[in-house]
Amino acid sequence: MLDFLTHFIERYGYFAVTLLVTLEGFGLPLPGEAAVVTAAAFAARGSLGIVGVVLATTLGTVLGGSGGYWVGRIGGRGLLVRQGHWIRLDADRLARTEKYFERHGMKTVFLARFVALLRIFGSLMAGVAHMPFPTFSAVNFIGGLLWAVTFSAVGFVFGKNLSKLDDYLGEISIVLSVLVVVGYLVYRWREQKMGSRVE
């Protein structure tokens, strides 16, 4: 996979990064993180500019996230009702998910950017739950920008050791995902604890 990304990004530069991140945002299982890190590694070598990589990545998150949102909003619920059993999502779970997004949609969209599987479904579910598009757009942009900066920084640091990226990228993604999930769980625990004190 790294060989493909290396040649693809080497040939098409910023466009390749934007395209891969955009298509991932539509729900396709593409290596968005690896594309960003690889492009940032090229920036460390001087082939690309690091600011350009961040901007291309952020643009991809905005386009892909918006596309995923509208796919979910226009036809996603019907699709999930018909095909949700493949991912163990029945009508009751879908209803609970929609209610959850009504209460915690903004936080979920933001955090989903840093968790691989949630990144694919976060925008889709925001559309299914009819989160207001301006709200979604703002959170998607902020989360996408922070994600772009984070993984661009990783790629820039490892830029002179591009061959090692394939070994470390999975571990880095897992660590970041775990940190995000743990941080969110701690936040929810504290929120519930404060709520019980108020009651």
Side-chain angles (χ1 to χ4, degrees):
M1 180 59 72
L2 185 60
D3 289 338
F4 163 75
L5 289 175
T6 299
H7 291 108
F8 188 56
I9 293 172
E10 188 174 27
R11 182 169 184 179
Y12 297 106
Y14 305 119
F15 172 75
V17 178
T18 301
L19 178 64
L20 290 169
V21 174
T22 297
L23 293 177
E24 185 190 44
F26 270 86
L28 298 179
L30 293 173
E33 289 174 353
V36 176
V37 172
T38 301
F42 277 112
R45 296 178 171 190
S47 302
L48 297 172
I50 190 63
V51 174
V53 172
V54 171
L55 292 176
T57 302
T58 304
L59 176 62
T61 65
V62 170
L63 295 175
S66 298
Y69 172 92
W70 285 111
V71 167
R73 182 152 184 168
I74 294 171
R77 194 179 197 285
L79 178 64
L80 289 174
V81 169
R82 292 191 303 271
Q83 305 296 334
H85 61 278
W86 291 106
I87 55 174
R88 297 184 179 181
L89 186 67
D90 56 23
D92 290 337
R93 287 182 178 176
L94 179 57
R96 289 198 299 269
T97 301
E98 289 176 310
K99 289 182 180 179
Y100 176 85
F101 259 81
E102 289 176 5
R103 296 181 57 192
H104 306 289
M106 290 178 62
K107 290 175 285 190
T108 303
V109 170
F110 178 82
L111 295 174
R113 174 51 53 186
F114 294 88
V115 182
L117 291 177
L118 287 180
R119 187 163 58 250
I120 295 176
F121 292 106
S123 299
L124 178 69
M125 288 307 305
V128 170
H130 283 221
M131 178 187 292
F133 185 64
T135 301
F136 169 81
S137 297
V139 177
N140 183 51
F141 171 75
I142 295 170
L145 177 60
L146 185 57
W147 178 73
V149 170
T150 300
F151 280 90
S152 293
V154 170
F156 198 81
V157 169
F158 284 94
K160 295 181 180 179
N161 298 290
L162 189 58
S163 61
K164 294 183 179 180
L165 281 176
D166 205 27
D167 296 329
Y168 292 120
L169 185 58
E171 296 176 10
I172 292 169
S173 299
I174 291 172
V175 169
L176 284 175
S177 296
V178 169
L179 289 176
V180 168
V181 171
V182 170
Y184 178 68
L185 291 175
V186 170
Y187 169 81
R188 287 293 309 279
W189 175 75
R190 292 187 62 185
E191 191 178 53
Q192 291 176 355
K193 190 175 180 181
M194 293 295 292
S196 63
R197 287 181 179 178
V198 171
E199 294 175 1

